[in-house]
């Protein structure tokens, strides 16, 4: 795996030593990122918020590239929440425009890296121009077998659980089963993230200690990593630091720490 980084990581750098210290068998299978802090990044420079979003695209590129080189099973990026419609129209439009542009410009590279793209959220409510770009990227990469890149758009964790519960109930009734028969698996099978590995690591940039309606179901036992770095400054080094930190965690899932010969 280190070989996958040979062309982009310089010898003697902190990135190289982090890569060398990773335990490859214990990489997180699924990493999700709440990409936050674009507005503050711009404000610090006396620029409009939109300049922060534009700068954030480079951080998306770096994270996707790093995730693919590491061989993660899934990378899920929170790009637009069901609550972000509250923002000024100009900002919302700019975000949608940037998303379209990102997909147009990056599709070849995404495909080349064997990444399978999908959008998760209430996609039907997005503008037709955005949906078209999403459909193109999804179809073009549908046969790819590497990392699954999910971009969360008009995404809300509560909306997702509600939608999944409704769909699960409908199937249940169709199959003649009773409401008491509904299981966690029934719901999980109808989430947008069905088929993806368990969410191991949830990263948030810009120091905010909240989940802001992201992956509420999936994060039940995820490790959470918050960095003060603002999203536009986030690069390969920061993602590697998050993963190295993840590997130092003691995951118990409600049980007890595994100790050799414990009775
Ligand atoms: C994250 O940055 C991008 C989106 C939510 C779309 P913000 O725009 O939330 O930046 P801050 O949090 O105001 O700094
Ligand atoms: C969360 O960031 C949503 C995305 C990153 C897309 P917000 O900036 O919208 O969250 P709050 O308002 O700080 O909770
Ligand atoms: Mg924010």
């Amino acid at each position: 795996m280190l070989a996958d980084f040979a062309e982009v990581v310089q010898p003697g750098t902190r990135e190289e030593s982090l890569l060398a210290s990773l335990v490859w068998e214990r990489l997180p299978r699924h990493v999700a990122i709440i990409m936050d802090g674009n507005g503050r990044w711009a404000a610090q420079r006396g620029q409009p918020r939109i300049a922060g979003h534009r700068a954030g695209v480079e951080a998306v590129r770096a994270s996707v590239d790093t995730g693919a080189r590491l061989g993660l099973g899934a990378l899920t990026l929170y790009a637009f929440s069901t609550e972000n419609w509250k923002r000024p129209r100009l900002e919302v439009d700019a975000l949608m425009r940037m998303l379209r542009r990102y997909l147009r410009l990056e599709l070849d590279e995404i495909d080349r890296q064997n990444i399978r793209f999908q959008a998760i959220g209430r996609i039907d409510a997005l503008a037709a121009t955005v949906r078209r770009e999403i459909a193109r990227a999804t179809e073009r990469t549908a046969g790819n077998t590497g990392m699954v890149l999910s971009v969360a758009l008009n995404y809300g964790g509560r909306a997702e659980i509600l939608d999944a519960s409704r769909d699960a109930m409908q199937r249940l009734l169709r199959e003649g089963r009773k409401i008491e028969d509904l299981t966690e698996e029934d719901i999980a099978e109808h989430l947008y993230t069905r088929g993806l590995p368990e969410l191991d690591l949830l990263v948030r940039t810009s120091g905010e200690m909240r989940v802001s309606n992201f992956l509420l179901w999936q994060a039940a036992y995820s490790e959470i990593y918050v960095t003060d770095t603002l999203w536009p400054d986030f690069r390969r080094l920061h993602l590697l630091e998050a993963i190295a930190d993840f590997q130092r965690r003691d995951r118990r899932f409600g049980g007890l720490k595994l100790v050799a010969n414990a009775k």
Side-chain angles (χ1 to χ4, degrees), residues 33-37 40 49 78-81 83-84 87 152 204 208 210-212:
I33 309 181
I34 303 175
M35 312 185 285
D36 198 16
R40 277 162 283 170
R49 296 178 52 81
Y78 202 7
F80 195 87
S81 74
E83 289 74 40
N84 286 146
R87 297 187 180 200
R204 183 162 188 156
E208 303 289 1
R210 54 176 173 264
V211 292
S212 299

Side-chain angles (χ1 to χ4, degrees), residues 33-148:
I33 309 181
I34 303 175
M35 312 185 285
D36 198 16
N38 297 352
R40 277 162 283 170
W41 184 93
Q44 284 174 1
R45 288 161 179 74
Q47 293 172 6
R49 296 178 52 81
I50 290 171
H53 297 314
R54 199 174 304 122
V57 175
E58 201 45 48
V60 174
R61 258 186 223 117
S63 304
V64 170
D65 180 82
T66 304
R69 285 179 200 271
L70 285 170
L72 300 182
L75 177 68
T76 302
L77 303 177
Y78 202 7
F80 195 87
S81 74
T82 46
E83 289 74 40
N84 286 146
W85 298 106
K86 293 176 192 162
R87 297 187 180 200
R89 173 82 195 271
L90 268 178
E91 183 173 344
V92 171
D93 287 351
L95 281 165
M96 295 297 161
R97 215 169 36 245
M98 279 175 216
L99 172 77
R100 271 176 11 228
R101 195 177 141 78
Y102 169 78
L103 287 178
R104 254 199 323 271
L105 294 180
E106 290 301 305
L107 187 52
D108 282 345
E109 182 60 15
I110 287 174
D111 193 31
R112 194 187 65 75
Q113 292 203 303
N114 195 23
I115 295 169
R116 180 154 68 80
F117 172 86
Q118 64 175 6
I120 62 170
R122 289 185 170 165
I123 302 306
D124 293 352
L126 299 175
T129 47
V130 180
R131 280 186 279 127
R132 217 163 18 243
E133 227 46 72
I134 291 173
R136 209 164 72 91
T138 309
E139 283 158 26
R140 166 99 175 267
T141 63
N144 288 350
T145 53
M147 182 178 83
V148 180

